[in-house]
Amino acid sequence: MPAIDLFTPLQLGSLTLSNRMVMAPLTRNRSSPEGVPHALNVEYYRQRAGAGLILTEATCIAPEAVGYPLTPGIWNSAQVAGWKTVTDSVHAAGGKIFCQLWHVGRISHPDLQPGGQLPVAPSPIKPAGDAFTLQGPKPFVTPRALALEELPGIVAAYRHAAANALLAGFDGVEVHAANGYLLDEFLRDGSNQRQDPYGGGIEQRARLLLEVMTAVCSVCDASRVGVRLSPVQPFNDMRDSNPQATFSRVVELLNPYGLAY
């Protein structure tokens, strides 16, 4: 097989990348306390605009999605305006940038939640480990299981965040469904023990992810949408009884969307 030059263009969905290097999402904890990107974020991403594509640090879709201090959001107009200064800077330097959409699920703490409420999850299963708060590490708590009637609101929050990402000038979005956060918690049977249409078999556990992907692709062309999965990643106390079967089927269910990746 001939060698491939990393500095040659690459077609990714409907985008032509200038080279084959993609910057992975890296949580930096450098936004304002209100989750608004500012000058430090602008400089950070501008310095890296030579990558073929930048994937932003994980970006919270709603106040309830927050699980770490000083992480950015994309749910309100101030955050959109802050991100617009970032995307303008990256584009001026010739780069392309996707926004990674994030809901942490149970990987949070009441100190980081509106009104000190419990984090949410598919099932009330406490993960091992500590949350990172402004007061230092604190043990995770037992999350509150999302009620069936709340799930359309989660889907709507992803749709709204994707629409805001386009307003902020992003070239596309990546749905974070990996590493033990909310969508991954629904996918794996170690964290999802629901007895309703969103739990049980693989297709039921994948239901929320598919509804989110449908919603996101309703506002952002699927050729500019990616999804991140982590089939065997144990981070955040995650496990699945049969990851090969689970994620092989999840990928089969995602294939018809025509995603960028």
Side-chain angles (χ1 to χ4, degrees), residues 206-222:
R207 184 185 301 269
L208 183 62
L209 172 61
L210 297 178
E211 290 179 354
V212 165
M213 299 308 297
T214 298
V216 168
C217 292
S218 73
V219 296
C220 184
D221 189 279

Side-chain angles (χ1 to χ4, degrees), residues 6 20-21 38 40 48 50 63 70 91 103 113 116 125 128 146 153 158 171 174 181 199 202 211 220 225 242 245:
L6 285 174
R20 295 166 182 265
M21 289 175 282
H38 51 86
L40 184 60
R48 291 153 177 82
L70 305 178
H91 291 150
H103 192 309
Q113 290 288 307
I125 300 172
L146 283 159
Y158 275 97
D171 298 291
E174 177 182 279
Y181 300 114
I202 296 170
E211 290 179 354
C220 184
V225 176
N242 192 343

